[in-house]
């Protein structure tokens, strides 16, 4: 277990999943440093992502690759094309293409930095465009599948 202060000064206890006390202490210090780095009120998802990536790289020595939304979606669609029916691929491709277009410049951001509000804005735009509730729900499901795939992998 590690105990460290969060940005507001409260003590937090979390399992480090380590059996070596020195390693657990090192992780606790990293977590506390990350909290201090994000203490600013307006920390964005991208800033959080940078801090967490930095922590991971310092702790593990491994680099987390940057995966732009557009590029990740193309690779995801290639996997879908190889594993699903042709009509399913065509249906998913349109939704993903529309989502990437909806993001605009944010399509070059890391896929893991996409905020729930951005997905909700896409879903709301679908609903405003007069699409049926079933279509809107299916489109949201496809985008969730893409983003969940990014988080898993």
């Amino acid at each position: 277990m590690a105990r460290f202060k969060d940005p507001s000064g409260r003590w937090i206890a979390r399992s480090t999943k380590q059996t070596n006390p020195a390693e657990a202490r090192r992780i606790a210090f990293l977590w506390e440093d990350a909290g201090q780095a994000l203490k600013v009120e307006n920390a964005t998802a991208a800033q959080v992502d940078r801090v967490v990536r930095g922590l991971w790289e310092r702790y593990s020595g491994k680099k987390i690759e940057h995966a732009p939304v557009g590029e990740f979606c193309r690779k995801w669609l290639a996997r879908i094309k190889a594993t699903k029916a042709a009509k399913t691929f065509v249906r998913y491709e349109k939704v993903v293409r529309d989502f990437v277009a909806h993001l605009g410049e944010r399509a070059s951001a890391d896929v893991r930095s996409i905020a729930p509000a951005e997905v909700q804005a896409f879903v709301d735009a679908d609903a405003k465009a007069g699409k049926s509730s079933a279509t809107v729900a299916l489109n949201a499901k496809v985008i969730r599948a893409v983003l969940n795939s990014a988080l898993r992998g």
Side-chain angles (χ1 to χ4, degrees):
M1 291 296 291
R3 287 181 42 86
F4 58 95
K5 285 187 180 180
D6 73 4
S8 67
R10 290 181 316 181
W11 283 98
I12 304 286
R14 295 283 185 269
S15 171
T16 62
K17 310 271 191 266
Q18 298 292 316
T19 56
N20 180 329
E23 280 299 305
R25 220 177 353 269
R26 189 165 81 111
I27 291 171
F29 287 134
L30 287 172
W31 287 343
E32 190 169 21
D33 288 347
Q36 294 306 316
L38 296 173
K39 195 171 186 174
V40 292
E41 268 184 47
N42 297 333
T44 65
Q47 289 167 314
V48 171
D49 186 56
R50 274 194 300 279
V51 169
V52 171
R53 282 173 186 270
L55 281 173
W56 174 256
E57 290 171 10
R58 280 193 343 219
Y59 175 71
S60 71
K62 299 175 187 172
K63 193 166 182 75
I64 298 175
E65 294 302 316
H66 175 77
V69 176
E71 181 182 323
F72 183 86
C73 287
R74 279 190 295 281
K75 290 178 181 178
W76 185 84
L77 284 168
R79 288 192 306 274
I80 293 299
K81 189 173 189 175
T83 59
K84 303 285 184 193
K87 285 186 178 184
T88 301
F89 169 74
V90 170
R91 174 73 176 94
Y92 286 11
E93 181 183 37
K94 179 173 178 6
V95 175
V96 171
R97 192 174 357 102
D98 290 349
F99 180 66
V100 171
H102 174 81
L103 289 174
E105 288 183 18
R106 288 277 295 144
S108 62
D110 187 81
V111 68
R112 290 170 293 269
S113 73
I114 298 301
E118 292 172 292
V119 176
Q120 188 61 52
F122 173 72
V123 170
D124 292 346
D126 265 0
K128 276 187 182 176
K131 295 180 181 177
S132 73
S133 59
T135 298
V136 171
L138 178 61
N139 291 355
K141 179 181 168 185
V142 170
I143 298 307
R144 268 195 319 272
V146 172
L147 297 177
N148 284 335
S149 174
L151 290 176
R152 284 190 304 270

